[in-house]
Amino acid sequence: MPFSRTFGRSLRPAQRRCPDAPAQRQYLTRVAAAAMTAAMLAGCASTGPQGQAFGQDPRDPLESFNRSMYSFNDGLDRAILRPVATGYQKAVPSPVRTGVGNFFGNLGDAWSFVNNVLQFKGEASMSSFFRVAVNSTFGLGGLLDVATEMRLERYKTDFGMTLGHWGVPSGPYLVLPFWGSSSIRDAAALPVDAYGNPLFHLNPDSHRYALYGLRLVDARARLLRASDMLDQAALDPYVMTRDLYLSSRNPGSGGDGMLDDDYDADAGALPDEDESAAAPAAAQ
């Protein structure tokens, strides 16, 4: 409708009838509801999924950056890593995957032994030492986790936890691209952890990188069920991931600085024949 005609009608009050009171109240109610909705949407634009502004958590002042890195890593995981890990889980028999996990767990125990010694933890150091000794000799180089059958506990730790044990603060929570949850302290400790991994000293390079890739895929396959539960249960997966990581890295949270074990508690035991037969049936 032309501009002049529109305003021409508004200037002729005799030709327009004033709305009755109920219609006017209904109109005002709709306008107020629209205004409230717009205000709520404007507020959500600067706050997190739970109504909390980014950076309000004192442990996570870099939340805006961390969320962007979390989204990047999650997209990469969904596009590449998760499908590869799912195919690995379906194609590789369970006993073989158990042996792969035991092998890398044994290498991790060797570095945990060094860090437990640096933290002056006698029981953890002795347990880590005997786990490596037993699994490397009687466990076919770590493919069998005989130490778990002998009730030798796994005390998994790293250099970041060693720094924390001696009073180095963790600093803000930090999400690293291609890596995931970390902190300023743990990120600074990563080069030392990489050097302490026995795989770092393996030659030729092609063998080392192949084992790195196998370890990554195997670790992701072991977390498939946990990530599915996280996607289904968490209102904000970022917050839950952050809180779980920070609680596991906090020496005062009851874990005495010990990291949660990435591997199953019964990782050393081969699955029973009944369980092996039941797994494909359950999948169907």
Side-chain angles (χ1 to χ4, degrees):
M1 182 177 295
F3 180 83
S4 58
R5 293 178 58 187
T6 302
F7 281 86
R9 292 183 179 182
S10 65
L11 295 175
R12 294 195 294 269
Q15 299 179 7
R16 294 181 59 86
R17 300 178 59 186
C18 296
D20 55 8
Q24 189 174 17
R25 285 196 298 269
Q26 185 178 12
Y27 172 76
L28 294 176
T29 301
R30 291 178 178 177
V31 171
M36 292 178 62
T37 303
M40 292 175 62
L41 292 176
C44 291
S46 60
T47 59
Q50 296 180 341
Q52 184 183 47
F54 289 156
Q56 277 193 357
D57 192 317
R59 305 170 303 173
D60 190 10
L62 306 174
E63 183 173 350
S64 179
F65 168 81
N66 288 336
R67 281 186 179 273
S68 63
M69 290 298 99
Y70 179 87
S71 299
F72 170 78
N73 290 339
D74 185 63
L76 192 66
D77 176 72
R78 294 178 184 275
I80 301 176
L81 191 54
R82 181 180 293 191
V84 173
T86 302
Y88 168 82
Q89 188 181 58
K90 293 180 179 180
V92 179
S94 178
V96 177
R97 286 187 280 110
T98 299
V100 171
N102 291 340
F103 174 78
F104 290 117
N106 190 52
L107 297 181
D109 286 338
W111 183 233
S112 294
F113 164 72
V114 175
N115 283 280
N116 282 318
V117 170
L118 294 176
Q119 297 174 32
F120 291 169
K121 295 181 178 179
E123 179 182 355
S125 300
M126 293 296 294
S127 182
S128 298
F129 172 79
F130 282 110
R131 282 188 61 87
V132 176
V134 169
N135 287 338
S136 298
T137 54
F138 301 105
L140 304 178
L143 294 178
L144 301 177
D145 192 355
V146 182
T148 295
E149 302 294 336
M150 297 174 61
R151 299 296 186 264
L152 290 173
E153 296 292 336
R154 167 173 282 157
Y155 294 88
K156 187 178 180 184
T157 186
D158 55 29
F159 191 66
M161 294 303 300
T162 299
L163 294 177
H165 178 80
W166 292 109
V168 178
S170 64
Y173 176 70
L174 181 65
V175 179
L176 300 175
F178 305 104
W179 181 265
S181 296
S182 185
S183 67
I184 300 298
R185 182 194 68 201
D186 295 340
L190 284 177
V192 181
D193 287 327
Y195 184 82
N197 191 324
L199 291 180
F200 183 83
H201 308 279
L202 178 66
N203 288 311
D205 293 344
S206 58
H207 294 175
R208 179 169 68 251
Y209 294 141
L211 288 177
Y212 278 147
L214 177 60
R215 183 183 64 174
L216 176 64
V217 173
D218 180 76
R220 184 63 185 91
R222 292 174 181 274
L223 296 174
L224 285 173
R225 183 181 301 177
S227 61
D228 291 340
M229 293 177 60
L230 179 66
D231 292 339
Q232 296 173 5
L235 296 177
D236 188 353
Y238 169 83
V239 172
M240 179 171 287
T241 302
R242 178 191 65 194
D243 292 346
L244 289 174
Y245 177 81
L246 293 177
S247 64
S248 71
R249 302 293 293 183
N250 180 14
S253 63
D256 195 24
M258 184 180 67
L259 289 178
D260 293 335
D261 191 0
D262 290 338
Y263 301 97
D264 299 333
D266 57 348
L270 294 178
D272 297 334
E273 294 182 359
D274 296 338
E275 295 181 359
S276 301
Q284 296 176 356

